[in-house]
């Protein structure tokens, strides 16, 4: 199943720099592992915001929830999820 996910990050200003850096390093490693596996298909930054739009290709809602709640930045995020379906006018076979 494909999902469009917007993630807005809201790190506390008083978060110690060392703790912030450790969380960000874990986040990067975790997300890149999921990208290599193919479950996190695309990620784009949103200009002017500490946010991204991502496309996930996962087995079901439960797997998406598991991935998102496992993000080290999850406690600091506002997340919006939209399930996606193939459009009948789509011409690419590899976007399912």
């Amino acid at each position: 199943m494909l999902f469009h996910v917007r993630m807005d990050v809201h790190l506390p200003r008083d978060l110690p720099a060392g703790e912030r850096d450790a969380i960000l390093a874990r986040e990067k490693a975790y997300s890149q592992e999921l990208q290599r596996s193919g479950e996190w298909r695309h990620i784009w930054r949103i200009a002017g915001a500490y946010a991204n739009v991502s496309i996930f290709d996962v087995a079901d809602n439960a797997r998406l929830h598991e991935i998102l709640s496992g993000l080290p930045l999850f406690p600091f995020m506002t997340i919006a999820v939209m399930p996606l379906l193939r459009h009948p006018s789509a011409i690419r076979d590899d976007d399912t």
Side-chain angles (χ1 to χ4, degrees):
M1 296 180 68
L2 293 177
F3 294 90
H4 169 281
V5 179
R6 178 177 172 143
M7 294 175 256
D8 291 86
V9 180
H10 313 283
L11 286 174
R13 291 182 188 260
D14 61 349
L15 188 66
E19 187 177 340
R20 184 196 70 226
D21 292 346
I23 292 169
L24 294 176
R26 288 195 321 272
E27 180 83 10
K28 183 175 184 176
Y30 182 70
S31 69
Q32 288 180 346
E33 175 185 328
L34 289 162
Q35 289 174 66
R36 286 185 197 95
S37 79
E39 287 184 298
W40 196 325
R41 286 185 53 178
H42 301 280
I43 183 170
W44 294 277
R45 295 181 85 175
I46 298 175
Y50 192 177
N52 75 74
V53 171
S54 294
I55 303 296
F56 288 86
D57 188 0
V58 294
D60 53 30
N61 295 337
R63 177 60 182 147
L64 180 65
H65 180 73
E66 178 183 359
I67 288 170
L68 296 177
S69 61
L71 290 166
L73 285 172
F74 180 78
F76 310 107
M77 289 182 167
T78 302
I79 298 174
V81 175
M82 290 186 287
L84 301 173
L85 297 170
R86 182 174 172 81
H87 194 283
S89 297
I91 61 169
R92 292 195 177 98
D93 292 331
D94 65 344
D95 63 355
T96 57

